[in-house]
Amino acid sequence: MTASAQPEPDTFDRTLEELRAATARLVATARAATPDELGAASPLPGWSRAHVLSHVAQNARGLRNLATWARTGVRTPMYAGQEQRDADIEAGARQDAATLVQQVVDTAADLDADLAALPPEALATTVEMRGGLRVPGSALAWLRLREIEVHHVDLDLDYGIADWDTAFARRAVEGLVDVWRSRDLPPPVRITATDTDLDAVSGSGTTSVRGTTAHLLGWLLGRPGADVRLQGPAVDLPAL
């Protein structure tokens, strides 16, 4: 997702409020789950639900590093490295359920405090995500909101694609299509929502995908259960 697809500073506070509400929903789901449910497989290959929650906690820590970078101007990588990130997620997933859920709560609260304290100049400072994507500090609340909402669905516990807010889903779809265009990734596809006026084109092509905005996002993210109608040649999505 390109920096231009992210909220401008004047919408940062509103996004932060949306993030708080989304985090509360995810935490409520996690707290209601039994230890056996959290230890069971998630829809993500190789990950249990505990791995998903551990990743959510580690993501908060990583975004705190980027908030520090935005505030101080000192380069502070999101993670020490891929191997360390993976090891931290694995270690977190092995914790008992109560400790893991509390870790999600605590890391989210720490990140919220850091984001809320960012001064205007920090919101305009460019930082670099894992993988090299450069975004302004004003994007951090949105990126966390997207992380929370998508991984809430990945828990596969009474929260699904259809529960995504339409405005959230639209913003996420438009951002993913921006990435598609900016990287000139095949295949070119027309993406049309049946519940909003969203009509995005990744390039000139004969394939069209239709569905609700939320289900289009699920399809773009490769999540199971996305209900869309494909017209034209079948396509293999690029890694978004």
Side-chain angles (χ1 to χ4, degrees):
M1 187 173 295
T2 62
S4 62
Q6 309 302 335
E8 296 300 321
D10 61 350
T11 67
F12 182 80
D13 289 343
R14 183 175 63 191
T15 303
L16 198 53
E17 287 299 321
E18 293 172 0
L19 170 58
R20 289 165 181 154
T23 300
R25 291 192 295 269
L26 180 143
V27 168
T29 294
R31 282 177 168 159
T34 67
D36 285 345
E37 286 174 330
L38 292 185
S42 79
L44 299 180
W47 272 14
S48 67
R49 292 184 176 114
H51 283 90
V52 175
L53 289 178
S54 181
H55 167 64
V56 168
Q58 294 305 323
N59 173 261
R61 289 172 171 156
L63 289 175
R64 289 191 74 198
N65 287 337
L66 296 187
T68 297
W69 182 346
R71 188 181 70 253
T72 65
V74 177
R75 182 180 179 85
T76 312
M78 192 172 182
Y79 299 108
Q82 183 68 38
E83 288 187 7
Q84 186 61 55
R85 171 184 175 272
D86 293 346
D88 289 342
I89 291 172
E90 188 64 39
R94 291 197 296 268
Q95 299 176 109
D96 66 85
T99 300
L100 175 57
V101 173
Q102 190 59 48
Q103 184 180 72
V104 172
V105 172
D106 292 343
T107 54
D110 290 341
L111 175 61
D112 179 84
D114 284 356
L115 294 178
L118 288 178
E121 59 271 21
L123 299 180
T125 298
T126 298
V127 298
E128 188 174 300
M129 300 286 294
R130 184 174 71 96
L133 178 65
R134 295 173 64 81
V135 299
S138 61
L140 297 180
W142 160 248
L143 292 170
R144 177 62 174 179
L145 173 60
R146 191 178 65 180
E147 195 82 8
I148 289 290
E149 286 287 3
V150 171
H151 289 311
H152 195 171
V153 167
D154 290 334
L155 288 176
D156 194 26
L157 290 169
D158 299 323
Y159 192 84
I161 289 172
D163 293 306
W164 280 333
D165 176 76
T166 301
F168 159 78
R170 178 172 186 150
R171 187 192 300 178
V173 168
E174 290 174 340
L176 290 172
V177 173
D178 277 351
V179 170
W180 204 331
R181 291 194 194 106
S182 68
R183 298 181 183 175
D184 194 26
L185 297 171
V189 170
R190 186 178 200 101
I191 298 169
T192 305
T194 56
D195 59 339
T196 68
D197 62 356
L198 173 67
D199 191 19
V201 182
S202 69
S204 59
T206 58
T207 298
S208 173
V209 184
R210 294 176 61 86
T212 66
T213 310
H215 280 276
L216 288 171
L217 175 58
W219 175 76
L220 283 167
L221 294 173
R223 263 49 184 185
D227 183 13
V228 298
R229 186 168 74 249
L230 185 68
Q231 296 176 321
V235 294
D236 291 323
L237 290 177
L240 296 174

